[in-house]
């Protein structure tokens, strides 16, 4: 069987409304959330990596990593537009991993093992999870691209997963890796725990 072509979409276009500003520039241990997200991508596992963003700084950092950049000129349309733009850009792939950019404790090796699990089950949606609770990132086979592209508003792949619960397969990881930074308080909590 031919090697699966898997793309990686890093979703970095949100306006951080709950955070109060562009949270991707927030720093933990000297690194921004976005840099941490890009460092968590095991580049060798993917046929291509695309970063969808509205920010010049994010685009420049993505290019520094050698990743493709797609501009989201209408971030106010919600997460679905980022999903659509990234899926269109990598429509030639057999699957795409959709990765949020605000999980600062996500480990590169965990992502690599998640991709390995998907390669063993290429007909399934594979997500990270802890104790049966799904988190991100999630990998979708090509057969779900039409549904992902049809999303509207501020929703993402969770809508597609809820429509196909029988297709979901979880790769178990530590709860900390699934934590995201939606608020200033969440950022402060992670900073405090890393110091302790």
């Amino acid at each position: 069987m031919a090697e699966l072509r898997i793309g990686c979409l890093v979703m970095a276009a949100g306006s951080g409304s709950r955070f109060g500003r562009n949270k991707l520039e927030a720093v933990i241990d000297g690194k921004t959330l976005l840099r941490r997200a890009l460092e968590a991508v095991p580049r060798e596992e993917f046929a291509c990596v695309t970063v969808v963003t509205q920010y010049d700084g994010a685009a420049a950092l993505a290019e520094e990593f050698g990743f493709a950049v797609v501009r989201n000129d209408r971030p106010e349309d919600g997460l679905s537009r980022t999903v659509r733009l990234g899926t269109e850009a990598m429509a030639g792939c057999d699957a795409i991993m959709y990765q949020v950019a605000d999980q600062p404790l996500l480990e590169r090796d965990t992502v690599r093992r998640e991709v390995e699990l998907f390669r063993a089950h290429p007909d399934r949606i594979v997500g990270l999870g802890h104790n049966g609770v799904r988190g991100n990132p999630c990998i979708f086979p090509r057969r779900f691209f039409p549904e992902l592209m049809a999303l509207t508003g501020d929703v993402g792949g969770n809508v597609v997963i809820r429509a196909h619960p029988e297709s979901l397969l979880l790769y178990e990881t530590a709860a900390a890796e699934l934590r995201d930074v939606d608020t200033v308080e969440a950022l402060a909590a992670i900073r405090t725990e890393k110091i302790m």
Side-chain angles (χ1 to χ4, degrees):
M1 187 176 114
E3 180 79 355
L4 285 171
R5 284 177 47 82
I6 303 174
C8 174
L9 168 58
V10 180
M11 301 179 289
S15 297
S17 54
R18 288 176 60 196
F19 195 81
R21 60 185 170 88
N22 175 13
K23 64 183 174 182
L24 301 182
E25 294 178 348
V27 174
I28 294 177
D29 284 354
K31 293 181 181 179
T32 64
L33 291 186
L34 182 59
R35 179 173 289 277
R36 287 177 169 276
L38 299 183
E39 287 180 350
V41 175
R43 177 67 183 89
E44 66 281 359
E45 296 291 339
F46 298 106
C48 52
V49 180
T50 301
V51 178
V52 176
T53 188
Q54 62 168 308
Y55 301 108
D56 291 342
L61 184 60
E63 287 167 354
E64 184 183 310
F65 275 77
F67 299 161
V69 173
V70 172
R71 292 293 188 139
N72 183 343
D73 56 347
R74 296 205 312 270
E76 67 278 3
D77 287 0
L79 178 59
S80 65
R81 181 162 173 79
T82 292
V83 169
R84 187 162 55 256
L85 289 170
T87 306
E88 286 171 353
M90 295 185 285
C93 290
D94 298 306
I96 297 174
M97 185 180 85
Y98 295 80
Q99 178 179 330
V100 297
D102 64 350
Q103 283 178 230
L105 305 180
L106 182 64
E107 296 284 343
R108 179 187 180 98
D109 196 54
T110 301
V111 177
R112 184 184 58 73
R113 291 195 302 269
E114 179 184 5
V115 173
E116 286 177 357
L117 179 62
F118 176 78
R119 289 189 186 282
H121 303 275
D123 58 329
R124 305 287 292 273
I125 299 168
V126 174
L128 288 188
H130 180 73
N131 285 344
V133 178
R134 183 186 58 79
N136 290 305
C138 292
I139 306 171
F140 290 81
R142 183 205 304 266
R143 68 188 171 104
F144 294 107
F145 291 1
E147 288 177 66
L148 290 161
M149 303 256 283
L151 295 171
T152 59
D154 196 27
V155 299
N158 58 326
V159 172
V160 177
I161 291 171
R162 282 201 301 269
H164 304 277
E166 75 290 346
S167 294
L168 182 62
L169 183 63
L170 295 181
Y171 178 81
E172 179 73 13
T173 192
E177 290 193 72
L178 305 181
R179 288 177 60 182
D180 59 13
V181 176
D182 276 338
T183 63
V184 173
E185 292 77 15
L187 176 68
I190 289 176
R191 280 178 174 158
T192 301
E193 287 164 24
K194 284 188 73 64
I195 290 167
M196 292 169 70

